[in-house]
Amino acid sequence: MSGPRRGGKGTAPAALGLPAASALVIGSIIGTGVFALPSALAPYGPISLVAFGVVTLGALALALTFGALAKRSPASGGPYVYAREAFGEFAGFLNAWSYWITAWAGNAAIVVAWVGYVEVFVNTGHDKWFSVLLALVGLWIPAAINLTGVRNTGAFQVVTTVLKFVPLVFMATVGLLFIDPDNFGSFNASGQSALGAISAAGAIALFSYLGLEAASVVAGRVREPGRNVPRATVYGTLVCAVIYILGTLAVFGTVSHGELGGSTAPFTDAANNILGGAWAGDLVAVAAIVSGIGALNGWTMLCAEMPYAAARDGLFPRAFARLRGDGDVPAFGIVASTVLASLITVFSYTRFQDVFTKIVLLSVLTAVIPYLFSAAAQLYWLLVRGGDRPDPRRLARDVTVAALALAFSYWSIQGSGYQTVYYGLFVLLLGVPVYIWLKRGQATEERAADAGTPTEPVTTEAVTATDSMAATEAVTATEAVTGTEAVTGTGAEAAPASPDRAPETPPPASRPTLTPRTRRTGTLRRLYDPRRHD
């Protein structure tokens, strides 16, 4: 492998076309989560299908919002880029931090569900440590594929996306013909109010749609991102929505409510009940295993791409911005995220009973925060920084969609539960000292760079110190900062200026180019000079 290269000096290759970008969206959305979701929703009863419908509408609003934002900012980073451009660096950092947590914690949830289908064939007794070993294998195989380059990652994603559709399409079509109403049980089995049950079930169901923003996160690696990213996002979400709702309905209607709640492979049980025997369920299990590996492959890529984009802007540790190998792979991000996913997986297997649900709720919360900021950024650009205003009907449509996405994000946070919000907020705020550390490092580098720069002549200091002041004030401020040595360059005392003559200003051609950095540096020198008494 070649040595590391800073992301700021090179850019990742645009190797994904529309099919691969669409496969990334569909593959990231449809993982093993949908294959385990019926069991997670079973305690709420069929009312969870209503929640699924509400979540689907919210997911489509988010997809349309991400599509619009991708046209405005077709660069890698997705929610991070949108928040940074609309609300500043700190908001961008929080979104990158939160989404990064979502990515590797979500991988832990996906691999837990994946293990449930692997154990249809091995470890049927569900030995805990054997399950942990299987989970670690499931996490590191996609990491190894991602380390070989984005082209291999994209090709693998297309293949696994095609294979995973077979059992889902079967269940969403043929499975509907075998529904038995007696299997549904009580409509609201949760014991909560209808609204409470829908909110709680919706927070779990939203996990199935995480990944709809995948194409926007890797937009810099997509060809013609302004055109292909919105299409891949919206079309991919629509396809998944149809498959999800019909497939989950079929499972609810073909597996009894009591059996469904304790199932680790509900689609396998549904296929066995429909066709009889174990062979049908085994085929579904194989497809779920392939689907899980495909989802982990896509999410491992997202684990590295979001921090890569933020690190290029100095808002994530620099190691995440280094590209390695002929495929320009952000290897550090891939390895670091997989290590963290491995740790939380081991912890969850040893601490939690309902491993999947616990990790799902945390992943949903940390994902909804970037979703909320993205919807808010869209409203900001439409209502505050609109520029060329569209016609009133188009503006009303776009504002309505973004407002629905924003409201849906708030509703999803509320449905996550108090404990999840507590832990999620704690994990999110752990990023604050990281941000301070990053900014302190940048300030130290700037001071070091300034210390190694020769003293600028008076004309440069006068102009850069305060471009918003009058010429006379600028020169006066400069003399207070640099002293007479800056005028002569030799330490000799300069002659005082004549009181009846304004200071001379150099011709425009000799003035230096003003940059934000030099302007800021000059202003700081003027404000903090110990000899300044005004």
Side-chain angles (χ1 to χ4, degrees), residues 100 104 108 335-345:
W100 182 58
W104 55 260
V335 173
S337 300
T338 307
V339 168
L340 289 171
S342 301
L343 291 175
I344 195 174
T345 300

Side-chain angles (χ1 to χ4, degrees), residues 40 108 144 162 165 171 177 179 184 204 226 248 278 316 430 459 462 529:
V162 171
F165 257 92
M171 198 61 64
L177 303 176
I179 289 179
F184 286 109
I204 298 175
T248 304
F316 235 71
L430 283 178
T459 54
D529 189 87

Side-chain angles (χ1 to χ4, degrees), residues 15 131 207 241 301 304 320 361 363 430 447 467 529:
S131 298
F207 179 77
M301 184 179 186
F320 286 91
L361 289 173
S363 301
L430 283 178
R447 286 195 295 269
D467 55 331
D529 189 87

Side-chain angles (χ1 to χ4, degrees), residues 293-517:
I293 286 291
L296 288 166
N297 180 67
W299 274 101
T300 300
M301 184 179 186
L302 300 183
C303 280
E305 286 296 321
M306 177 70 80
Y308 164 75
R312 290 187 62 190
D313 296 330
L315 295 179
F316 235 71
R318 286 179 179 173
F320 286 91
R322 298 188 182 120
L323 301 177
R324 294 183 179 273
D326 296 333
D328 289 322
V329 176
F332 182 84
I334 293 171
V335 173
S337 300
T338 307
V339 168
L340 289 171
S342 301
L343 291 175
I344 195 174
T345 300
V346 173
F347 178 82
S348 298
Y349 267 108
T350 56
R351 297 286 181 174
F352 299 148
Q353 280 296 112
D354 48 346
V355 180
F356 179 75
T357 303
K358 284 278 196 304
I359 305 178
V360 160
L361 289 173
L362 177 62
S363 301
V364 166
L365 180 67
T366 52
V368 166
I369 291 172
Y371 290 174
L372 189 152
F373 270 92
S374 297
Q378 174 70 345
L379 286 173
Y380 174 80
W381 290 113
L382 289 172
L383 300 176
V384 180
R385 298 284 297 276
D388 296 333
R389 300 276 181 176
D391 64 85
R393 285 185 298 180
R394 180 181 173 187
L395 178 62
R397 180 201 66 191
D398 292 345
V399 168
T400 300
V401 170
L404 284 174
L406 185 67
F408 173 70
S409 299
Y410 279 116
W411 177 73
S412 300
I413 293 174
Q414 179 270 331
S416 297
Y418 296 112
Q419 187 178 33
T420 303
V421 172
Y422 168 78
Y423 285 117
L425 182 62
F426 179 79
V427 171
L428 177 67
L429 294 181
L430 283 178
V432 174
V434 176
Y435 179 79
I436 295 172
W437 170 65
L438 290 170
K439 300 306 289 184
R440 180 180 180 274
Q442 290 179 10
T444 301
E445 290 181 356
E446 288 182 2
R447 286 195 295 269
D450 292 339
T453 303
T455 306
E456 296 174 335
V458 62
T459 54
T460 302
E461 284 290 338
V463 177
T464 61
T466 166
D467 55 331
S468 62
M469 299 174 62
T472 302
E473 294 173 336
V475 175
T476 303
T478 303
E479 291 173 348
V481 174
T482 60
T484 56
E485 292 83 359
V487 178
T488 62
T490 60
E493 184 175 353
S498 173
D500 59 348
R501 189 179 66 176
E504 294 184 0
T505 304
S510 64
R511 292 187 179 183
T513 302
L514 296 179
T515 65
R517 178 175 175 182

Side-chain angles (χ1 to χ4, degrees), residues 176-272:
L176 297 175
L177 303 176
F178 294 84
I179 289 179
D180 182 354
D182 293 336
N183 287 326
F184 286 109
S186 175
F187 181 69
N188 182 3
S190 67
Q192 306 179 45
S193 66
L195 182 60
I198 291 173
S199 296
I204 298 175
L206 179 58
F207 179 77
S208 297
Y209 286 107
L210 297 189
L212 62 90
E213 72 291 340
S216 68
V217 173
V218 299
R221 295 181 181 267
V222 177
R223 293 191 290 272
E224 299 182 61
R227 176 173 176 267
N228 287 333
V229 169
R231 294 168 66 191
T233 301
V234 175
Y235 296 159
T237 304
L238 280 171
V239 169
C240 293
V242 173
I243 295 295
Y244 272 2
I245 294 178
L246 296 181
T248 304
L249 174 64
V251 173
F252 267 73
T254 54
V255 181
S256 67
H257 180 262
E259 182 185 354
L260 186 60
S263 175
T264 59
F267 272 80
T268 292
D269 295 337
N272 285 336

